Amino acid sequence: MTTTSLSPRATESAETEVQVPPEAAARRVQGLRHPWQWVATAVVLILALNFGQTLFTNPAWAWDRVGHWFASPAILAGLVLTLEATAISAVVSFAGGVIVALARQSRNRVLSGSAWLYIWVFRSLPLILVLLFLYNLGNLYPEIGIGVPFGPQLEVRTTNVLTDLTLGVIGLSLSEIAYASEVVRAGLLAVDRGQHEAANALGIPRYRQFTRIVLPQALRSIVPAYVNQIIGLIKSSSLLFYVSLLDLFGVVQNLQSTYPTDIIPLFVVATIWYLILTGAIAIVQHYVERFYNRGLKGSR
Amino acid sequence: MSAATNAAAAVQIVGARKSFGDRQVLKGIDLSVPTGTVTVILGPSGSGKSTLLRAINHLEKLSAGYVAVGGELVGVRLAGDRLKELPEKEILRQRARIGFVFQNFNLFPHLTVLDNIVEAPVATGLLPKSAARERARELLAQVGLSSKADAFPKQLSGGQQQRVAIARALALDPHLILFDEPTSALDPELVGEVLAVIRRLADSGRTLVVVTHEIGFAREVADHVVFLDDGEIVEQGPPGVVLVSPRHARTRDFLSRVL
C-alpha cells in the first residue's frame, strides 16, 4: 500500500490486542536455531578427514625427507635472507611511505605531483621488472652519482655500491613505498579534523602535532593494512631468486634441481616456513593493534 | 573604532569580513571585548557566530579586517599598506596564549586525561614535564575530576569530557578563553556541570567569549550580549537590555524561538 499519510494504516486497527498465554510469556524466549550449521560442519569434517588420511597413507609426502630438510643449514640460510630482506624493506618502505604520503598531501604542486607520479609508476610495474631493471643498472649507468646539473659531480661505480642484497632491498622498497604511502595517506585522512584543530588551538608545534597527535591515531588504521602489505612483502621476496639471491624459495628451487626426488617434501618445507612467518606476524599484529587501540574503546 | 583607542580591550575585532566562495559569512564586524568580562554571542545557526569566534584565534582566516588580542594583531602583521599573514610558527605561538573550548571537546582519545592536559604546556615549552603534571592535577581538582587522571577520554561522560577540555585550555594559563557552543553536544542533564565550571572561570578575572544557545546562562553570567544574524551584529548590550527588551525585531524573533 502506498500512502503519504502519517496516520496509521486503516488495516491496523489500534484496538486489536495481541493474546499470548501468560505461561508462554513467562518462559525464556528461545533463540533462533541454525540447522544448516550442522550440515556445513559435517561437510567440512568429512573433507578434512579425507585429506588428513592421505597425509599418512600417501608415501609421496615423504615426511622423513621433510624432517631432513626442515632445519637444514641451507634452508635456514635462505630463511634468514628472506627475513633480512623483508624486515629491512618493511622498515624502509614505511619511512618512505610516510614521506611520500606527506609529499602527496603537500600544498606544493611540484611535491604532490612528484609523489603522484612515483606512486603511479611503481604501482604499475611488476616487481620482477623493477628487480631485473635494477639488476642490469650497471649496463645502463656504469657510474652513478649526484651533483649540480652541469656542475661538480660525485660519482661511484654502480657495481661497487649495489651488492645483491642492497639491490634486492632497494627493488622491494621502491615498489613497496608506493603502496605504503597510500596506506599511510588513508590512515592520516581517517584522523578527525577536530584533532588537528585542537592541536592548532593549543599552539602545539607542527612537527609535534604530527608525531604526538596525528600519527599515533592514524596508526590505528595503518597497522592492519600495513601488516597485510608486510605479508605480501614476505611472499614478494621470493622473486629475489631471479636476481641471484638465495632466499627461502630460492634455496628450495636450487635444492629441487639437485635432489629431484625431494621436490614435494621441499615444497612442504617452504609451505610450513611461510605459514610460521605469517602466523608469527599475525600474533605480533594482535598486540600492536591492542596498543594503538588503547583509549579508543569506551567502557561506558 | 580605531585600534589604539581602547587599551583595556582584551579582544578588538575591526571590520571583520569572511566569505566562503560567493557566500558572505561575516559582513564587516566591529566588536570590542573589555578585559575581565564575559561576552556571550547569540544568533541563529548559520549567522556566522562560530566563524567569528574562530577568527579570534585565527582558526578561521578573515578575508578582510583584523583581530587583536591583548594589543597584538592575531595571525597577521601590518606590512606597509596591507595586512599579511604571519608564518605558521608565529600563529601557533599566539594561539598558545588563547584558550579554546570546542563543541565536540576534541580531546586526544589516545592520551589519558592527565596527558591531554600536560601536552600543550610541555609542547610549547611553557612548563617542564613534572611541573606540567602537577599543574594538570590542580586543574583536574578545580573541575572536579581528580579521580579521572588516568582514564581515557572515551571512558568519561560528555560533561566530564568537556570539563577536561576546559582544564586542557587552562593549562596554558590564558587570559582569554573562547567557548564554541560548549554545551550543545551534551545531554540536557549534563549541561549544568559544564556551565558551573564556566561560571567559576568568569569570577576568576579572565576574559571569556562564549558562543551558546543557553539564554539562562547568558542572562546570569554575561556582562555583554551580542546578537548576530546573517553575518552582522544586529544588537548588543547588557543582558538586561538585549534579552529582556530587545529593540530589533530579528532579536525578538530569535529569542521567542529559543526561550
Side-chain angles (χ1 to χ4, degrees), chain A residues 37-61:
Chain A
Q37 242 181 15
W38 297 104
V39 178
T41 309
V43 171
V44 170
L45 276 180
I46 291 167
L47 289 176
L49 287 172
N50 265 299
F51 176 68
Q53 191 188 20
T54 66
L55 289 178
F56 296 99
T57 53
N58 185 346
W61 284 107

Side-chain angles (χ1 to χ4, degrees), chain B residues 129-141:
Chain B
K129 191 146 194 185
S130 58
R133 293 180 79 87
E134 204 174 302
R135 174 87 182 120
R137 287 190 190 281
E138 286 171 22
L139 289 167
L140 275 178

Side-chain angles (χ1 to χ4, degrees), chain B:
Chain B
M1 185 192 317
S2 89
T5 50
N6 198 344
V11 183
Q12 289 169 278
I13 300 171
V14 180
R17 290 177 187 280
K18 172 78 184 179
S19 329
F20 293 112
D22 288 342
R23 214 168 68 84
Q24 276 197 301
V25 186
L26 299 178
K27 299 174 178 171
I29 302 252
D30 295 309
L31 181 65
S32 176
V33 177
T35 302
T37 62
V38 179
T39 299
V40 167
I41 303 178
L42 298 173
S45 62
S47 59
K49 54 193 193 304
S50 278
T51 308
L52 180 64
L53 190 79
R54 291 158 57 85
I56 297 178
N57 74 344
H58 206 69
L59 278 181
E60 212 75 70
K61 293 176 197 173
L62 291 174
S63 314
Y66 63 88
V67 171
V69 169
E72 185 182 339
L73 284 172
V74 176
V76 293
R77 67 189 165 84
L78 187 61
D81 61 348
R82 64 186 310 179
L83 294 168
K84 284 191 175 171
E85 193 173 13
L86 287 173
E88 192 181 9
K89 209 174 168 182
E90 281 299 303
I91 299 174
L92 287 169
R93 186 188 58 74
Q94 292 184 325
R95 288 199 186 112
R97 299 183 303 121
I98 304 169
F100 198 100
V101 176
F102 295 89
Q103 179 177 355
N104 295 315
F105 333 131
N106 291 341
L107 292 175
F108 305 130
H110 60 302
L111 302 179
T112 63
V113 162
L114 194 75
D115 286 340
N116 261 278
I117 303 172
V118 166
E119 178 60 22
V122 171
T124 56
L126 181 73
L127 291 173
K129 191 146 194 185
S130 58
R133 293 180 79 87
E134 204 174 302
R135 174 87 182 120
R137 287 190 190 281
E138 286 171 22
L139 289 167
L140 275 178
Q142 278 180 33
V143 298
L145 290 170
S146 290
S147 61
K148 301 292 186 189
D150 298 319
F152 284 99
K154 290 275 158 69
Q155 295 167 333
L156 306 180
S157 72
Q160 290 171 329
Q161 288 189 55
Q162 193 59 298
R163 279 143 71 196
V164 172
I166 293 172
R168 181 175 71 173
L170 287 172
L172 290 162
D173 204 15
H175 296 295
L176 169 68
I177 309 177
L178 312 172
F179 294 85
D180 189 5
E181 303 200 25
T183 59
S184 297
L186 299 178
D187 290 337
E189 79 273 19
L190 302 176
V191 168
E193 61 187 70
V194 171
L195 291 183
V197 170
I198 300 176
R199 195 171 288 138
R200 255 182 289 140
L201 283 176
D203 298 332
S204 72
R206 291 185 172 86
T207 310
L208 310 186
V209 181
V210 187
V211 169
T212 185
H213 292 295
E214 298 288 330
I215 305 294
F217 172 81
R219 189 182 298 131
E220 245 180 87
V221 182
D223 299 298
H224 195 73
V225 173
V226 177
F227 177 69
L228 209 67
D229 191 14
D230 199 22
E232 292 168 319
I233 294 180
V234 175
E235 184 161 0
Q236 57 175 314
V241 177
V242 177
L243 298 177
V244 179
S245 48
R247 279 173 294 147
H248 283 265
R250 280 197 279 178
T251 320
R252 277 197 294 275
D253 185 43
F254 172 76
L255 289 173
S256 71
R257 273 182 286 125
V258 294
L259 281 175

Side-chain angles (χ1 to χ4, degrees), chain A residues 77-89 234 237 247-248 277:
Chain A
L79 184 67
V80 167
L81 192 122
T82 293
L83 285 174
E84 261 182 323
T86 309
I88 300 173
S89 306
I234 291 183
S237 70
D247 71 312
L248 179 58
L277 292 183

Side-chain angles (χ1 to χ4, degrees), chain A residues 6-293:
Chain A
L6 288 174
S7 54
R9 284 188 289 178
T11 50
E12 287 171 20
S13 162
E15 290 91 59
T16 319
E17 207 173 288
V18 176
Q19 292 294 333
V20 173
E23 62 274 19
R27 292 182 67 188
R28 193 186 159 82
V29 177
Q30 194 181 57
L32 181 63
R33 296 285 183 249
H34 301 277
W36 286 102
Q37 242 181 15
W38 297 104
V39 178
T41 309
V43 171
V44 170
L45 276 180
I46 291 167
L47 289 176
L49 287 172
N50 265 299
F51 176 68
Q53 191 188 20
T54 66
L55 289 178
F56 296 99
T57 53
N58 185 346
W61 284 107
W63 290 105
D64 57 322
R65 298 307 290 162
V66 173
H68 171 78
W69 290 117
F70 187 70
S72 64
I75 290 286
L76 289 185
L79 184 67
V80 167
L81 192 122
T82 293
L83 285 174
E84 261 182 323
T86 309
I88 300 173
S89 306
V91 173
V92 170
S93 304
F94 187 76
V98 171
I99 293 168
V100 175
L102 289 176
R104 179 88 201 273
Q105 288 189 332
S106 168
R107 262 166 284 175
N108 181 327
R109 291 286 182 80
V110 175
L111 266 185
S112 66
S114 316
W116 183 89
L117 187 71
Y118 178 90
I119 294 168
W120 176 53
V121 168
F122 282 98
R123 284 205 306 192
S124 305
L125 301 183
L127 179 57
I128 184 86
L129 182 63
V130 176
L131 286 171
L132 289 173
F133 219 121
L134 277 177
Y135 195 60
N136 292 290
L137 197 64
N139 298 333
L140 186 61
Y141 292 107
E143 294 187 327
I144 48 175
I146 192 162
V148 187
F150 307 107
Q153 307 275 323
L154 178 73
E155 289 203 337
V156 282
R157 282 203 67 75
T158 305
T159 43
N160 288 352
V161 254
L162 291 185
T163 65
D164 286 350
L165 181 61
T166 320
L167 189 142
V169 165
I170 291 176
L172 283 176
S173 302
L174 277 177
S175 101
E176 195 58 29
I177 285 172
Y179 293 97
S181 74
E182 288 295 274
V183 167
V184 171
R185 193 167 71 96
L188 294 177
L189 289 175
V191 176
D192 185 53
R193 224 174 79 91
Q195 293 293 307
H196 295 268
E197 290 204 331
N200 268 327
L202 288 165
I204 298 170
R206 190 77 188 276
Y207 176 74
R208 184 155 169 142
Q209 285 190 17
F210 183 73
T211 57
R212 178 92 171 135
I213 308 297
V214 179
L215 189 59
Q217 294 186 61
L219 281 173
R220 241 182 102 214
S221 43
I222 291 174
V223 167
Y226 195 61
V227 167
N228 225 12
Q229 292 296 126
I230 293 178
I231 290 171
L233 198 54
I234 291 183
K235 289 178 287 183
S236 303
S237 70
S238 59
L239 291 177
L240 293 177
F241 175 64
Y242 294 98
V243 288
S244 71
L245 275 169
L246 289 177
D247 71 312
L248 179 58
F249 185 71
V251 170
V252 163
Q253 293 247 290
N254 264 3
L255 289 174
Q256 281 172 335
S257 50
T258 321
Y259 303 90
T261 52
D262 282 350
I263 286 181
I264 294 292
L266 281 163
F267 277 146
V268 173
V269 166
T271 303
I272 296 174
W273 274 119
Y274 281 120
L275 285 173
I276 291 175
L277 292 183
T278 313
I281 287 177
I283 292 169
V284 174
Q285 175 182 17
H286 173 77
Y287 288 100
V288 175
E289 279 183 21
R290 206 166 65 171
F291 177 77
Y292 283 112
N293 277 325

